mmCIF file of all heavy atoms in Angstrom:
data_model
loop_
_atom_site.group_PDB
_atom_site.id
_atom_site.type_symbol
_atom_site.label_atom_id
_atom_site.label_comp_id
_atom_site.label_asym_id
_atom_site.label_seq_id
_atom_site.Cartn_x
_atom_site.Cartn_y
_atom_site.Cartn_z
ATOM 1 N N TYR I 854 108.590 104.202 96.524
ATOM 2 C CA TYR I 854 107.393 104.967 96.206
ATOM 3 C C TYR I 854 107.691 106.289 95.513
ATOM 4 O O TYR I 854 106.998 106.682 94.573
ATOM 5 C CB TYR I 854 106.593 105.220 97.497
ATOM 6 C CG TYR I 854 105.247 105.860 97.337
ATOM 7 C CD1 TYR I 854 104.118 105.065 97.080
ATOM 8 C CD2 TYR I 854 105.070 107.258 97.430
ATOM 9 C CE1 TYR I 854 102.881 105.639 96.924
ATOM 10 C CE2 TYR I 854 103.824 107.818 97.252
ATOM 11 C CZ TYR I 854 102.721 107.009 97.021
ATOM 12 O OH TYR I 854 101.472 107.574 96.875
ATOM 13 N N ASP I 855 108.727 106.957 95.974
ATOM 14 C CA ASP I 855 109.016 108.277 95.442
ATOM 15 C C ASP I 855 109.566 108.264 93.998
ATOM 16 O O ASP I 855 109.676 109.287 93.375
ATOM 17 C CB ASP I 855 110.037 108.981 96.350
ATOM 18 C CG ASP I 855 109.413 109.332 97.701
ATOM 19 O OD1 ASP I 855 108.200 109.327 97.823
ATOM 20 O OD2 ASP I 855 110.182 109.625 98.653
ATOM 21 N N ARG I 856 109.878 107.055 93.485
ATOM 22 C CA ARG I 856 110.342 106.945 92.118
ATOM 23 C C ARG I 856 109.178 106.772 91.130
ATOM 24 O O ARG I 856 109.388 106.630 89.950
ATOM 25 C CB ARG I 856 111.296 105.793 91.955
ATOM 26 C CG ARG I 856 112.614 105.972 92.743
ATOM 27 C CD ARG I 856 113.575 104.834 92.507
ATOM 28 N NE ARG I 856 114.766 104.917 93.324
ATOM 29 C CZ ARG I 856 115.866 105.618 93.015
ATOM 30 N NH1 ARG I 856 115.896 106.273 91.883
ATOM 31 N NH2 ARG I 856 116.905 105.626 93.835
ATOM 32 N N GLN I 857 107.929 106.802 91.628
ATOM 33 C CA GLN I 857 106.774 106.628 90.762
ATOM 34 C C GLN I 857 105.708 107.678 91.051
ATOM 35 O O GLN I 857 104.536 107.484 90.734
ATOM 36 C CB GLN I 857 106.218 105.235 90.891
ATOM 37 C CG GLN I 857 105.725 104.834 92.291
ATOM 38 C CD GLN I 857 104.361 105.330 92.639
ATOM 39 O OE1 GLN I 857 103.356 104.992 91.989
ATOM 40 N NE2 GLN I 857 104.264 106.178 93.671
ATOM 41 N N LEU I 858 106.109 108.802 91.661
ATOM 42 C CA LEU I 858 105.094 109.815 92.023
ATOM 43 C C LEU I 858 104.401 110.354 90.795
ATOM 44 O O LEU I 858 105.011 110.544 89.726
ATOM 45 C CB LEU I 858 105.777 110.964 92.780
ATOM 46 C CG LEU I 858 106.254 110.656 94.189
ATOM 47 C CD1 LEU I 858 106.989 111.847 94.776
ATOM 48 C CD2 LEU I 858 105.109 110.228 95.087
ATOM 49 N N PRO I 859 103.096 110.598 90.873
ATOM 50 C CA PRO I 859 102.326 111.142 89.734
ATOM 51 C C PRO I 859 102.766 112.564 89.440
ATOM 52 O O PRO I 859 103.171 113.305 90.327
ATOM 53 C CB PRO I 859 100.882 111.081 90.212
ATOM 54 C CG PRO I 859 100.979 111.127 91.706
ATOM 55 C CD PRO I 859 102.225 110.367 92.053
ATOM 56 N N THR I 860 102.673 112.910 88.198
ATOM 57 C CA THR I 860 102.998 114.275 87.756
ATOM 58 C C THR I 860 101.741 115.044 87.374
ATOM 59 O O THR I 860 101.804 116.277 87.263
ATOM 60 C CB THR I 860 103.954 114.223 86.545
ATOM 61 O OG1 THR I 860 103.322 113.442 85.480
ATOM 62 C CG2 THR I 860 105.270 113.574 86.911
ATOM 63 N N GLN I 861 100.621 114.354 87.197
ATOM 64 C CA GLN I 861 99.397 115.039 86.823
ATOM 65 C C GLN I 861 98.629 115.546 88.029
ATOM 66 O O GLN I 861 98.490 114.862 89.053
ATOM 67 C CB GLN I 861 98.494 114.039 86.037
ATOM 68 C CG GLN I 861 97.270 114.699 85.411
ATOM 69 C CD GLN I 861 96.560 113.771 84.463
ATOM 70 O OE1 GLN I 861 97.053 112.696 84.153
ATOM 71 N NE2 GLN I 861 95.366 114.158 84.043
ATOM 72 N N ALA I 862 98.183 116.772 87.927
ATOM 73 C CA ALA I 862 97.428 117.396 89.039
ATOM 74 C C ALA I 862 96.075 116.710 89.229
ATOM 75 O O ALA I 862 95.494 116.150 88.330
ATOM 76 C CB ALA I 862 97.197 118.894 88.749
ATOM 77 N N LEU I 863 95.591 116.744 90.472
ATOM 78 C CA LEU I 863 94.310 116.160 90.776
ATOM 79 C C LEU I 863 93.160 117.029 90.208
ATOM 80 O O LEU I 863 93.279 118.248 90.125
ATOM 81 C CB LEU I 863 94.123 116.020 92.307
ATOM 82 C CG LEU I 863 95.103 115.089 93.019
ATOM 83 C CD1 LEU I 863 94.810 115.064 94.513
ATOM 84 C CD2 LEU I 863 95.059 113.663 92.441
ATOM 85 N N THR I 864 92.103 116.373 89.848
ATOM 86 C CA THR I 864 90.908 117.066 89.337
ATOM 87 C C THR I 864 90.251 117.885 90.437
ATOM 88 O O THR I 864 90.011 117.378 91.524
ATOM 89 C CB THR I 864 89.892 116.035 88.772
ATOM 90 O OG1 THR I 864 90.510 115.194 87.836
ATOM 91 C CG2 THR I 864 88.689 116.759 88.145
ATOM 92 N N PRO I 865 89.943 119.146 90.205
ATOM 93 C CA PRO I 865 89.288 119.943 91.231
ATOM 94 C C PRO I 865 87.958 119.365 91.672
ATOM 95 O O PRO I 865 87.314 118.585 90.905
ATOM 96 C CB PRO I 865 89.070 121.316 90.530
ATOM 97 C CG PRO I 865 90.078 121.316 89.415
ATOM 98 C CD PRO I 865 90.217 119.884 88.945
ATOM 99 N N ALA I 866 87.524 119.704 92.831
ATOM 100 C CA ALA I 866 86.208 119.228 93.318
ATOM 101 C C ALA I 866 85.093 119.739 92.424
ATOM 102 O O ALA I 866 85.185 120.814 91.824
ATOM 103 C CB ALA I 866 85.979 119.760 94.740
ATOM 104 N N PRO I 867 84.037 118.953 92.282
ATOM 105 C CA PRO I 867 82.895 119.427 91.479
ATOM 106 C C PRO I 867 82.352 120.714 92.049
ATOM 107 O O PRO I 867 82.477 121.006 93.232
ATOM 108 C CB PRO I 867 81.872 118.279 91.636
ATOM 109 C CG PRO I 867 82.672 117.089 92.009
ATOM 110 C CD PRO I 867 83.805 117.592 92.817
ATOM 111 N N LYS I 868 81.682 121.492 91.231
ATOM 112 C CA LYS I 868 81.119 122.766 91.635
ATOM 113 C C LYS I 868 80.180 122.570 92.838
ATOM 114 O O LYS I 868 79.327 121.683 92.827
ATOM 115 C CB LYS I 868 80.366 123.404 90.469
ATOM 116 C CG LYS I 868 79.855 124.823 90.790
ATOM 117 C CD LYS I 868 79.145 125.433 89.593
ATOM 118 C CE LYS I 868 78.645 126.811 89.921
ATOM 119 N NZ LYS I 868 77.933 127.421 88.744
ATOM 120 N N ASN I 869 80.356 123.416 93.827
ATOM 121 C CA ASN I 869 79.511 123.412 95.048
ATOM 122 C C ASN I 869 79.746 122.191 95.938
ATOM 123 O O ASN I 869 78.914 121.886 96.803
ATOM 124 C CB ASN I 869 78.022 123.525 94.705
ATOM 125 C CG ASN I 869 77.683 124.837 94.028
ATOM 126 O OD1 ASN I 869 78.246 125.887 94.380
ATOM 127 N ND2 ASN I 869 76.746 124.821 93.090
ATOM 128 N N TYR I 870 80.881 121.483 95.748
ATOM 129 C CA TYR I 870 81.247 120.368 96.604
ATOM 130 C C TYR I 870 82.538 120.645 97.310
ATOM 131 O O TYR I 870 83.398 121.379 96.838
ATOM 132 C CB TYR I 870 81.352 119.083 95.784
ATOM 133 C CG TYR I 870 80.062 118.329 95.573
ATOM 134 C CD1 TYR I 870 79.176 118.708 94.561
ATOM 135 C CD2 TYR I 870 79.701 117.273 96.408
ATOM 136 C CE1 TYR I 870 77.988 118.030 94.376
ATOM 137 C CE2 TYR I 870 78.510 116.590 96.244
ATOM 138 C CZ TYR I 870 77.670 116.967 95.194
ATOM 139 O OH TYR I 870 76.492 116.287 95.056
ATOM 140 N N GLU I 871 82.740 119.947 98.445
ATOM 141 C CA GLU I 871 83.987 120.038 99.196
ATOM 142 C C GLU I 871 84.306 118.690 99.819
ATOM 143 O O GLU I 871 83.411 117.938 100.202
ATOM 144 C CB GLU I 871 83.856 121.070 100.319
ATOM 145 C CG GLU I 871 82.789 120.773 101.297
ATOM 146 C CD GLU I 871 82.612 121.870 102.373
ATOM 147 O OE1 GLU I 871 83.316 122.879 102.300
ATOM 148 O OE2 GLU I 871 81.742 121.705 103.268
ATOM 149 N N PRO I 872 85.597 118.325 99.919
ATOM 150 C CA PRO I 872 85.975 117.086 100.563
ATOM 151 C C PRO I 872 85.812 117.211 102.055
ATOM 152 O O PRO I 872 86.070 118.271 102.677
ATOM 153 C CB PRO I 872 87.441 116.909 100.171
ATOM 154 C CG PRO I 872 87.929 118.282 99.955
ATOM 155 C CD PRO I 872 86.775 119.062 99.403
ATOM 156 N N TYR I 873 85.354 116.112 102.709
ATOM 157 C CA TYR I 873 85.147 116.159 104.166
ATOM 158 C C TYR I 873 85.635 114.931 104.885
ATOM 159 O O TYR I 873 85.736 114.916 106.114
ATOM 160 C CB TYR I 873 83.678 116.395 104.493
ATOM 161 C CG TYR I 873 82.789 115.192 104.242
ATOM 162 C CD1 TYR I 873 82.412 114.367 105.298
ATOM 163 C CD2 TYR I 873 82.330 114.896 102.974
ATOM 164 C CE1 TYR I 873 81.593 113.236 105.071
ATOM 165 C CE2 TYR I 873 81.531 113.821 102.747
ATOM 166 C CZ TYR I 873 81.160 112.983 103.800
ATOM 167 O OH TYR I 873 80.361 111.889 103.594
ATOM 168 N N TYR I 874 85.977 113.876 104.157
ATOM 169 C CA TYR I 874 86.384 112.648 104.799
ATOM 170 C C TYR I 874 87.326 111.868 103.921
ATOM 171 O O TYR I 874 87.120 111.756 102.718
ATOM 172 C CB TYR I 874 85.166 111.777 105.135
ATOM 173 C CG TYR I 874 85.481 110.376 105.703
ATOM 174 C CD1 TYR I 874 86.265 110.246 106.857
ATOM 175 C CD2 TYR I 874 85.009 109.247 105.119
ATOM 176 C CE1 TYR I 874 86.573 108.999 107.352
ATOM 177 C CE2 TYR I 874 85.284 107.980 105.615
ATOM 178 C CZ TYR I 874 86.079 107.838 106.726
ATOM 179 O OH TYR I 874 86.361 106.604 107.243
ATOM 180 N N MET I 875 88.406 111.314 104.525
ATOM 181 C CA MET I 875 89.296 110.398 103.818
ATOM 182 C C MET I 875 89.327 109.093 104.523
ATOM 183 O O MET I 875 89.533 108.992 105.732
ATOM 184 C CB MET I 875 90.716 110.941 103.707
ATOM 185 C CG MET I 875 91.678 109.950 103.014
ATOM 186 S SD MET I 875 93.399 110.446 102.912
ATOM 187 C CE MET I 875 93.282 111.650 101.582
ATOM 188 N N SER I 876 89.150 108.004 103.758
ATOM 189 C CA SER I 876 89.324 106.650 104.227
ATOM 190 C C SER I 876 90.515 106.038 103.509
ATOM 191 O O SER I 876 90.561 105.994 102.277
ATOM 192 C CB SER I 876 88.071 105.813 103.935
ATOM 193 O OG SER I 876 88.156 104.527 104.496
ATOM 194 N N HIS I 877 91.499 105.575 104.270
ATOM 195 C CA HIS I 877 92.819 105.254 103.731
ATOM 196 C C HIS I 877 93.323 103.895 104.219
ATOM 197 O O HIS I 877 93.024 103.469 105.337
ATOM 198 C CB HIS I 877 93.760 106.376 104.180
ATOM 199 C CG HIS I 877 95.229 105.986 104.253
ATOM 200 N ND1 HIS I 877 95.749 105.233 105.277
ATOM 201 C CD2 HIS I 877 96.277 106.325 103.431
ATOM 202 C CE1 HIS I 877 97.062 105.108 105.096
ATOM 203 N NE2 HIS I 877 97.392 105.742 103.991
ATOM 204 N N TYR I 878 94.002 103.197 103.323
ATOM 205 C CA TYR I 878 94.814 102.021 103.757
ATOM 206 C C TYR I 878 96.160 102.149 103.068
ATOM 207 O O TYR I 878 96.233 102.295 101.822
ATOM 208 C CB TYR I 878 94.142 100.695 103.389
ATOM 209 C CG TYR I 878 94.938 99.515 104.016
ATOM 210 C CD1 TYR I 878 94.465 98.933 105.208
ATOM 211 C CD2 TYR I 878 96.082 99.026 103.435
ATOM 212 C CE1 TYR I 878 95.165 97.876 105.786
ATOM 213 C CE2 TYR I 878 96.783 97.991 104.024
ATOM 214 C CZ TYR I 878 96.334 97.414 105.201
ATOM 215 O OH TYR I 878 97.030 96.363 105.790
ATOM 216 N N GLY I 879 97.245 102.082 103.846
ATOM 217 C CA GLY I 879 98.578 102.230 103.287
ATOM 218 C C GLY I 879 99.540 101.184 103.758
ATOM 219 O O GLY I 879 99.447 100.686 104.886
ATOM 220 N N ARG I 880 100.467 100.830 102.915
ATOM 221 C CA ARG I 880 101.509 99.936 103.252
ATOM 222 C C ARG I 880 102.664 100.684 103.923
ATOM 223 O O ARG I 880 102.861 101.870 103.712
ATOM 224 C CB ARG I 880 102.076 99.265 101.973
ATOM 225 C CG ARG I 880 103.198 98.256 102.197
ATOM 226 C CD ARG I 880 103.923 97.934 100.911
ATOM 227 N NE ARG I 880 104.907 96.893 101.127
ATOM 228 C CZ ARG I 880 105.839 96.553 100.243
ATOM 229 N NH1 ARG I 880 105.909 97.193 99.073
ATOM 230 N NH2 ARG I 880 106.711 95.578 100.509
ATOM 231 N N HIS I 881 103.424 99.981 104.744
ATOM 232 C CA HIS I 881 104.615 100.549 105.327
ATOM 233 C C HIS I 881 105.592 100.969 104.241
ATOM 234 O O HIS I 881 105.489 100.544 103.082
ATOM 235 C CB HIS I 881 105.330 99.523 106.227
ATOM 236 C CG HIS I 881 105.688 98.269 105.480
ATOM 237 N ND1 HIS I 881 106.800 98.193 104.644
ATOM 238 C CD2 HIS I 881 105.126 97.037 105.483
ATOM 239 C CE1 HIS I 881 106.883 96.991 104.117
ATOM 240 N NE2 HIS I 881 105.877 96.267 104.609
ATOM 241 N N GLY I 882 106.564 101.795 104.583
ATOM 242 C CA GLY I 882 107.532 102.233 103.647
ATOM 243 C C GLY I 882 108.663 101.266 103.426
ATOM 244 O O GLY I 882 108.632 100.118 103.880
ATOM 245 N N SER I 883 109.673 101.702 102.689
ATOM 246 C CA SER I 883 110.786 100.830 102.319
ATOM 247 C C SER I 883 111.443 100.195 103.544
ATOM 248 O O SER I 883 111.546 100.830 104.582
ATOM 249 C CB SER I 883 111.830 101.609 101.505
ATOM 250 O OG SER I 883 111.331 101.901 100.211
ATOM 251 N N ARG I 884 111.933 98.986 103.357
ATOM 252 C CA ARG I 884 112.481 98.211 104.475
ATOM 253 C C ARG I 884 113.660 97.392 104.026
ATOM 254 O O ARG I 884 113.923 97.190 102.830
ATOM 255 C CB ARG I 884 111.411 97.259 105.036
ATOM 256 C CG ARG I 884 110.839 96.314 103.943
ATOM 257 C CD ARG I 884 110.098 95.151 104.577
ATOM 258 N NE ARG I 884 109.358 94.359 103.603
ATOM 259 C CZ ARG I 884 109.900 93.485 102.749
ATOM 260 N NH1 ARG I 884 111.206 93.329 102.694
ATOM 261 N NH2 ARG I 884 109.121 92.788 101.926
ATOM 262 N N TRP I 885 114.410 96.869 105.027
ATOM 263 C CA TRP I 885 115.384 95.828 104.732
ATOM 264 C C TRP I 885 114.650 94.573 104.306
ATOM 265 O O TRP I 885 113.429 94.432 104.566
ATOM 266 C CB TRP I 885 116.193 95.514 105.979
ATOM 267 C CG TRP I 885 117.407 96.353 106.194
ATOM 268 C CD1 TRP I 885 118.700 96.100 105.777
ATOM 269 C CD2 TRP I 885 117.513 97.606 106.876
ATOM 270 N NE1 TRP I 885 119.559 97.094 106.171
ATOM 271 C CE2 TRP I 885 118.866 98.042 106.854
ATOM 272 C CE3 TRP I 885 116.582 98.419 107.543
ATOM 273 C CZ2 TRP I 885 119.294 99.212 107.425
ATOM 274 C CZ3 TRP I 885 116.967 99.603 108.133
ATOM 275 C CH2 TRP I 885 118.318 99.995 108.045
ATOM 276 N N LEU I 886 115.324 93.677 103.631
ATOM 277 C CA LEU I 886 114.713 92.385 103.303
ATOM 278 C C LEU I 886 114.338 91.643 104.554
ATOM 279 O O LEU I 886 114.880 91.914 105.649
ATOM 280 C CB LEU I 886 115.701 91.551 102.433
ATOM 281 C CG LEU I 886 115.951 92.170 101.027
ATOM 282 C CD1 LEU I 886 117.073 91.393 100.350
ATOM 283 C CD2 LEU I 886 114.691 92.162 100.185
ATOM 284 N N ILE I 887 113.421 90.714 104.448
ATOM 285 C CA ILE I 887 112.807 90.085 105.616
ATOM 286 C C ILE I 887 113.684 89.024 106.263
ATOM 287 O O ILE I 887 113.715 88.909 107.504
ATOM 288 C CB ILE I 887 111.460 89.463 105.216
ATOM 289 C CG1 ILE I 887 110.477 90.550 104.779
ATOM 290 C CG2 ILE I 887 110.857 88.654 106.371
ATOM 291 C CD1 ILE I 887 110.021 91.463 105.905
ATOM 292 N N GLN I 888 114.354 88.210 105.438
ATOM 293 C CA GLN I 888 115.111 87.064 105.985
ATOM 294 C C GLN I 888 116.619 87.256 105.788
ATOM 295 O O GLN I 888 117.084 87.738 104.762
ATOM 296 C CB GLN I 888 114.643 85.759 105.305
ATOM 297 C CG GLN I 888 113.171 85.449 105.555
ATOM 298 C CD GLN I 888 112.749 84.199 104.789
ATOM 299 O OE1 GLN I 888 113.547 83.474 104.230
ATOM 300 N NE2 GLN I 888 111.451 83.934 104.789
ATOM 301 N N GLN I 889 117.405 86.800 106.770
ATOM 302 C CA GLN I 889 118.854 86.876 106.660
ATOM 303 C C GLN I 889 119.368 86.163 105.446
ATOM 304 O O GLN I 889 120.330 86.574 104.807
ATOM 305 C CB GLN I 889 119.487 86.304 107.940
ATOM 306 C CG GLN I 889 120.864 86.845 108.257
ATOM 307 C CD GLN I 889 120.806 88.258 108.834
ATOM 308 O OE1 GLN I 889 120.158 88.441 109.849
ATOM 309 N NE2 GLN I 889 121.462 89.192 108.212
ATOM 310 N N SER I 890 118.686 85.047 105.102
ATOM 311 C CA SER I 890 119.132 84.232 103.958
ATOM 312 C C SER I 890 119.030 85.001 102.636
ATOM 313 O O SER I 890 119.704 84.641 101.669
ATOM 314 C CB SER I 890 118.320 82.919 103.872
ATOM 315 O OG SER I 890 116.934 83.207 103.733
ATOM 316 N N HIS I 891 118.182 86.035 102.582
ATOM 317 C CA HIS I 891 118.114 86.841 101.355
ATOM 318 C C HIS I 891 119.459 87.444 101.052
ATOM 319 O O HIS I 891 119.782 87.710 99.902
ATOM 320 C CB HIS I 891 117.056 87.925 101.508
ATOM 321 C CG HIS I 891 115.658 87.401 101.501
ATOM 322 N ND1 HIS I 891 114.598 88.077 102.063
ATOM 323 C CD2 HIS I 891 115.117 86.259 101.004
ATOM 324 C CE1 HIS I 891 113.481 87.376 101.915
ATOM 325 N NE2 HIS I 891 113.793 86.291 101.266
ATOM 326 N N TYR I 892 120.235 87.729 102.077
ATOM 327 C CA TYR I 892 121.564 88.290 101.913
ATOM 328 C C TYR I 892 122.653 87.188 101.927
ATOM 329 O O TYR I 892 123.600 87.234 101.117
ATOM 330 C CB TYR I 892 121.882 89.299 103.015
ATOM 331 C CG TYR I 892 120.931 90.491 103.051
ATOM 332 C CD1 TYR I 892 119.929 90.575 104.017
ATOM 333 C CD2 TYR I 892 121.052 91.536 102.124
ATOM 334 C CE1 TYR I 892 119.061 91.657 104.059
ATOM 335 C CE2 TYR I 892 120.155 92.625 102.168
ATOM 336 C CZ TYR I 892 119.185 92.677 103.141
ATOM 337 O OH TYR I 892 118.329 93.739 103.161
#
C-alpha cells in the first residue's frame, strides 16, 4: 500500500461544512502467501 500513496492534497471542505462521520471498509495489510505450496 505504501508504494502507491497519493501525493495530491485532499480538497478542502465546502464553505460552511464540516466532516462528521466516516464509513469505512478496509482490507488487511501485507501478509505471507496463503498456501505452503506457493513456496
Side-chain angles (χ1 to χ4, degrees):
Y854 187 87
D855 291 345
R856 295 183 185 275
Q857 60 81 62
L858 290 175
T860 56
Q861 189 170 350
L863 297 179
T864 305
K868 185 178 180 181
N869 296 324
Y870 273 84
E871 61 184 0
Y873 73 99
Y874 174 56
M875 177 183 285
S876 184
H877 155 284
Y878 188 98
R880 181 195 184 191
H881 59 76
S883 288
R884 56 163 171 76
W885 273 267
L886 293 172
I887 295 292
Q888 298 177 9
Q889 206 76 58
S890 60
H891 288 157
Y892 299 104

